[in-house]
Amino acid sequence: MNNSLCPESEISISAKKNRMIMKELVKGQESATQLKVLLEKPFGSEGSLSCQELTANVLRSFTQAISIINSSSADEVAHRSLLNSGQNGSPVAVSGENRSQKGGRGRYNRRKSAVSWSILSCTTDDNHVWRKYGQKGVLNSEFPRSYFRCGHKYDQGCLAKKQVQRDQENSNMYRTTYIGIHTCNATTKATHSATDLLNSDHDSEVPNVQDHHISPPSLNIKQTFPKENTPSDVTDHMLNPSMWSALKDFEPSNKPTIVPLMMETDTNNVDNVYSSQRLDMDFRVPSVHFGTDFPFDEGHFLI
DNA sequence: TGAATTTGACCTAA
DNA sequence: TTAGGTCAAATTCA
């Protein structure tokens, strides 16, 4: 079996992924624009889509874009793993194997081995089907943390998970941490959203924000990469700067221009965050790692 | 009655 | 030792 990749195929796949990423980002932009229009309307005005639906669309577009970006990374890691396994490949402990006989429970791998990012939002809807598998109280937080796995874990082997917790500072908001990438191809709306589940707590006095439209939608997305991903690993899969140039130049009718704003970078260069402040929305775009030849000194985008 | 959620016990990593 | 994450039996829901 030949593991080597044809350079032409790589270019083709990369171009295709770039188009897919662009498509998702444009969809997110359109939803965000609709959201802006909706917010500027007098309260109670009818809209084609609700605030929550638009927020979910924006989130889904970015999630999909992240998935596409990181699928390249995952492919590369898997490829490297394959190559390395022939030399010094050591078996990785998998949850469920070598379990102790005590209650059928055993060791799980708690290492942060998948890409993760968190968002702060007034809704937890993201058009994925989630199954709740646990809830725990968290130290120094009055709100419990709920644990969800993808509803397609067993039928499609999707390992995506998320953790949802009410924000300590603003109990109307939910801090959702996504762990791992959806490998399932279904984005069917869950019959019961995570928000519903969280709001179903009997002792909860926080109203259901989905029903009351209390606060303007706010998304705060912060993406982190596993520590195994060195900066060089990450930059191997960065977006081509030309794509961002194209994105910057993309200006459909009635759509605001994308403008680079400020960039937040931490010292490890594995947890970069790009954000934008626009209108009354604090809207953070999942971090994307650029090469040193990236044309912008600043990396936030006004959508 | 099957599917989904809740919840306490169990386990790992720090 | 302990906080956080997961399991799985019990419970609830449709």
Side-chain angles (χ1 to χ4, degrees):
Chain A
M1 189 172 187
N2 186 6
N3 281 334
S4 63
L5 294 171
C6 169
E8 288 182 9
S9 322
E10 284 182 328
I11 291 169
S12 172
I13 290 169
S14 176
K16 186 178 177 183
K17 285 189 174 178
N18 280 356
R19 281 196 296 275
M20 291 166 68
I21 293 164
M22 176 68 81
K23 187 180 170 184
E24 290 300 332
L25 289 173
V26 168
K27 278 199 290 188
Q29 184 197 35
E30 288 174 349
S31 293
T33 304
Q34 290 178 48
L35 198 51
K36 174 179 175 294
V37 171
L38 194 64
L39 290 170
E40 288 173 346
K41 285 183 179 177
F43 187 78
S45 298
E46 288 186 8
S48 55
L49 288 173
S50 72
C51 179
Q52 282 72 32
E53 287 170 322
L54 289 169
T55 306
N57 286 345
V58 173
L59 179 57
R60 186 177 61 247
S61 291
F62 283 121
T63 302
Q64 290 293 92
I66 291 166
S67 298
I68 295 164
I69 293 167
N70 285 301
S71 66
S72 301
S73 182
D75 290 346
E76 178 73 10
V77 169
H79 181 63
R80 288 183 186 177
S81 177
L82 266 176
L83 294 177
N84 290 337
S85 63
Q87 300 167 358
N88 58 349
S90 54
V92 177
V94 176
S95 175
E97 290 181 357
N98 300 322
R99 289 188 164 188
S100 66
Q101 298 302 309
K102 215 174 184 179
R105 300 174 192 179
R107 44 175 314 180
Y108 350 104
N109 189 355
R110 221 177 95 182
R111 282 183 66 196
K112 200 174 181 180
S113 58
V115 62
S116 69
W117 65 97
S118 62
I119 68 170
L120 188 62
S121 173
C122 63
T123 178
T124 61
D125 285 358
D126 52 16
N127 285 2
H128 278 284
V129 179
W130 298 97
R131 291 286 168 267
K132 189 175 182 178
Y133 65 89
Q135 178 171 305
K136 284 280 289 189
V138 179
L139 194 67
N140 298 326
S141 176
E142 61 180 302
F143 303 113
R145 177 178 299 162
S146 297
Y147 299 88
F148 298 85
R149 64 166 63 99
C150 179
H152 298 289
K153 179 185 180 182
Y154 299 110
D155 57 352
Q156 295 184 39
C158 182
L159 297 178
K161 294 176 195 170
K162 74 173 179 179
Q163 299 172 1
V164 180
Q165 188 176 8
R166 284 180 189 273
D167 188 58
Q168 187 74 10
E169 296 173 358
N170 184 355
S171 61
N172 291 333
M173 308 290 284
Y174 298 91
R175 186 167 296 281
T176 304
T177 301
Y178 292 89
I179 301 159
I181 304 298
H182 279 282
T183 55
C184 60
N185 54 17
T187 57
T188 314
K189 183 86 172 178
T191 51
H192 298 289
S193 71
T195 310
D196 292 337
L197 291 172
L198 290 168
N199 283 325
S200 66
D201 295 343
H202 297 302
D203 55 350
S204 171
E205 296 186 2
V206 179
N208 187 332
V209 293
Q210 283 193 309
D211 295 336
H212 292 78
H213 299 251
I214 295 168
S215 54
S218 175
L219 288 171
N220 231 317
I221 304 175
K222 182 176 183 179
Q223 183 181 10
T224 58
F225 289 89
K227 288 184 177 177
E228 290 81 355
N229 275 2
T230 63
S232 61
D233 288 332
V234 172
T235 52
D236 281 347
H237 310 291
M238 64 191 178
L239 290 183
N240 188 331
S242 64
M243 182 199 142
W244 288 102
S245 296
L247 186 62
K248 180 172 69 68
D249 294 333
F250 179 78
E251 193 172 4
S253 58
N254 301 325
K255 303 293 189 302
T257 307
I258 297 170
V259 177
L261 301 174
M262 291 191 57
M263 170 177 157
E264 296 172 7
T265 310
D266 79 358
T267 53
N268 294 324
N269 194 29
V270 293
D271 192 18
N272 294 348
V273 175
Y274 294 82
S275 69
S276 70
Q277 296 279 347
R278 66 177 179 87
L279 303 177
D280 53 345
M281 290 180 67
D282 177 13
F283 194 98
R284 291 193 169 195
V285 179
S287 64
V288 177
H289 297 263
F290 300 110
T292 52
D293 58 344
F294 183 65
F296 302 142
D297 292 327
E298 301 167 327
H300 289 215
F301 299 92
L302 182 65
I303 300 179

